[in-house]
Amino acid sequence: MTPSWSIRRLHALDAAQIDALADVLIDCVDGGASVSFMHPLTRDRAVAFWRRVARGVAAGERALLVAEDAHGVCGTVQLIFDLPENQPHRADLAKMLVHRRVRRQGLGAALMQAAENTARDCGKTLLVLDAVTDGDAARLYARAGWQRVGDIPKYALMPAGGYCSTTYFYKHL
Ligand SMILES: CC(C)(COP(=O)(O)OP(=O)(O)OC[C@H]1O[C@@H](n2cnc3c(N)ncnc32)[C@H](O)[C@@H]1OP(=O)(O)O)[C@@H](O)C(=O)NCCC(=O)NCCS
């Protein structure tokens, strides 16, 4: 079946794209995802986050991918290139976010594939990420062939409070 979304890399963000990405982030936090923010995530904080991302994208410190369907932006993922000078071959994969309205249709897997392809195109040979231990995302990464390294208990707080453990993963490309 032809997917109902398309994925592209953005090299600059306008105000409408920042707003749309804020919607996706707020939806994920509303849904209980542990993605750096506590609940409730206000629009102002979400927009401020994406403005920082936009500056990083403009500076070449990040690659930003977005998925769009007929209703607009429905998913996103980032590669962070702003790492120490002795790790030019590596990137961190971060902020994999799929709006709840399009989950469980393969978009997460498609964003992973697109992020890995982008990393290869940028000359990266190693990707690293962390995810809530045994959560939806951790299953996605394991399925995509990422190597589980180990867990760090009490790494972060869930959006509604309470510690969660994180699991580190890596993938050699
Ligand atoms: C984790 C996340 C990105 C996954 O996105 P997604 O688009 O739902 O991912 P996929 O559709 O590729 O896979 C999700 C599930 O749907 C299943 N699936 C995929 N396509 C399907 C289809 N056509 N029909 C039925 N099921 C399908 C997958 O097998 C997978 O099953 P599992 O949960 O049993 O492992 C999404 O849940 C999310 O954004 N969560 C909140 C934010 C978050 O936690 N991000 C991770 C930060 S590290």
Side-chain angles (χ1 to χ4, degrees):
M1 210 173 78
T2 313
S4 56
W5 57 74
S6 60
I7 297 173
R8 64 184 171 128
R9 180 174 174 185
L10 296 183
H11 294 275
L13 277 88
D14 61 27
Q17 288 164 330
I18 286 176
D19 258 357
L21 286 161
D23 285 340
V24 175
L25 178 60
I26 290 169
D27 177 74
C28 287
V29 175
D30 282 350
S34 175
V35 285
S36 309
F37 295 97
M38 300 304 289
H39 189 268
L41 174 58
T42 62
R43 173 153 292 275
D44 280 356
R45 275 158 57 225
V47 166
F49 168 76
W50 287 109
R51 285 193 180 134
R52 282 196 302 279
V53 170
R55 287 195 289 274
V57 167
E61 296 167 351
R62 290 169 186 252
L64 173 67
L65 303 185
V66 295
E68 291 154 305
D69 66 7
H71 304 284
V73 175
C74 53
T76 181
V77 66
Q78 293 175 45
L79 293 166
I80 299 174
F81 300 141
D82 186 23
L83 297 177
E85 66 182 22
N86 67 345
Q87 298 160 38
H89 57 296
R90 188 170 86 71
D92 287 328
L93 189 144
K95 291 289 177 295
M96 157 73 79
L97 306 168
V98 171
H99 196 286
R100 284 178 291 178
R101 71 180 168 78
V102 292
R103 285 198 194 154
R104 304 191 65 80
Q105 298 173 35
L107 177 53
L111 281 166
M112 284 304 287
Q113 189 61 61
E116 290 176 20
N117 290 344
T118 301
R120 268 190 213 93
D121 291 347
C122 294
K124 305 298 174 185
T125 55
L126 174 63
L127 295 179
V128 175
L129 65 78
D130 70 279
V132 171
T133 303
D134 296 332
D136 292 344
R139 275 198 309 285
L140 173 68
Y141 305 142
R143 239 189 347 267
W146 285 60
Q147 180 65 45
R148 183 180 172 138
V149 180
D151 303 341
I152 304 178
K154 293 189 174 178
Y155 186 84
L157 296 176
M158 294 304 286
Y163 288 117
C164 65
S165 161
T166 201
T167 302
Y168 269 83
F169 290 85
Y170 72 88
K171 188 168 187 177
H172 283 294
L173 301 176

